[in-house]
Amino acid sequence: MWRVFLAVVRRDVLLAFRRRSDVLTTLFFFVMVTTLFPLGVGPERDLLRTMAPGILWVSALLAAMLSLGRLFALDFADGTLEQMLLSPEPLSVIVAGKVLAHWLVSGLPLVLLAPLLALQFDLSLEAIEVLAGGLLLGTPALSLIGAIGAALTLGLRGGGVLVALLVLPLYIPVLIFGAGAVGAQSSGLGGMAHLQLLAGVLAASLALAPWATAAALRVALD
């Protein structure tokens, strides 16, 4: 199973880098949204520090959602997904590999880019560290939860809108704990409690999302 998992990750990462425009679209959207807010709000430092956690986290959440439609759609279109279902290996392992590959090309770049973009909001170094740690815990959870929505809407017309309607309510805890950690750190309260709650959400997503996604894929292909 480990070899199958790594093979799926390697395959999806290679395919993603052959379609660099998809990856760059996500990053460009994240950069543009986080850059336009300071320009629109103005140079007031206290206001920017207050708004920064919500802006950065909402931008990362929406950017991650942009790529959810490609998670299973291409494999569904060319019949690869049906072959994966016929594989003797557990489908949940294959799903976990695809989700990890999705995070590596869509979530990890956001984690690496966010500290640089946070500088324009005049956040302290400690708050930026908490922001990076929160995104490192939160973006995998976004990919795992989003995979369930992508599987449930697979092959449906207007699936992108349906994915947003399905996963946005489930994203709310990640958004609250992630933005709350940065806000608490900036106010001097410390963000460790929020990060621990975010780690709990990630652990629950790791335990449940691959199996739920696999079940949704079987339903979609029946």
Side-chain angles (χ1 to χ4, degrees):
M1 287 190 295
W2 182 247
R3 289 196 299 271
V4 171
F5 175 81
L6 292 178
V8 171
V9 173
R10 182 176 179 273
R11 169 188 176 271
D12 281 23
V13 169
L14 289 175
L15 289 176
F17 279 103
R18 290 175 183 173
R19 300 186 301 269
R20 295 185 184 90
S21 60
D22 294 339
V23 179
L24 294 176
T25 298
T26 302
L27 293 178
F28 185 73
F29 177 85
F30 182 57
V31 171
M32 288 301 298
V33 172
T34 54
T35 303
L36 288 174
F37 268 97
L39 295 176
V41 172
E44 181 60 40
R45 291 186 176 183
D46 292 336
L47 182 59
L48 288 175
R49 291 193 197 101
T50 302
M51 297 176 62
I55 292 172
L56 289 165
W57 263 95
V58 169
S59 302
L61 184 151
L62 294 176
M65 190 180 298
L66 282 177
S67 58
L68 287 179
R70 303 190 302 270
L71 189 54
F72 302 111
L74 296 178
D75 289 337
F76 175 74
D78 63 12
T80 304
L81 194 58
E82 294 182 2
Q83 299 302 315
M84 290 180 178
L85 263 68
L86 296 175
S87 170
E89 302 297 338
L91 183 58
S92 57
V93 174
I94 297 174
V95 167
K98 293 184 71 64
V99 172
L100 177 57
H102 174 268
W103 178 76
L104 288 175
V105 299
S106 300
L108 184 58
L110 301 182
V111 177
L112 299 176
L113 195 58
L116 296 176
L117 296 174
L119 294 175
Q120 62 187 334
F121 294 92
D122 198 37
L123 288 178
S124 64
L125 179 60
E126 293 78 10
I128 292 176
E129 290 175 352
V130 171
L131 171 67
L135 288 172
L136 193 60
L137 292 172
T139 48
L142 296 180
S143 294
L144 287 163
I145 296 170
I148 302 175
L152 288 172
T153 59
L154 188 63
L156 298 180
R157 181 177 298 177
V161 177
L162 293 176
V163 168
L165 293 176
L166 286 173
V167 303
L168 276 177
L170 300 176
Y171 279 174
I172 291 176
V174 179
L175 177 62
I176 291 174
F177 298 145
V182 183
Q185 185 67 36
S186 298
S187 63
L189 299 176
M192 186 55 66
H194 292 82
L195 292 180
Q196 290 173 347
L197 291 170
L198 200 56
V201 173
L202 175 59
S205 301
L206 284 171
L208 300 175
W211 284 269
T213 304
L217 288 175
R218 290 190 178 95
V219 172
L221 292 176
D222 282 345

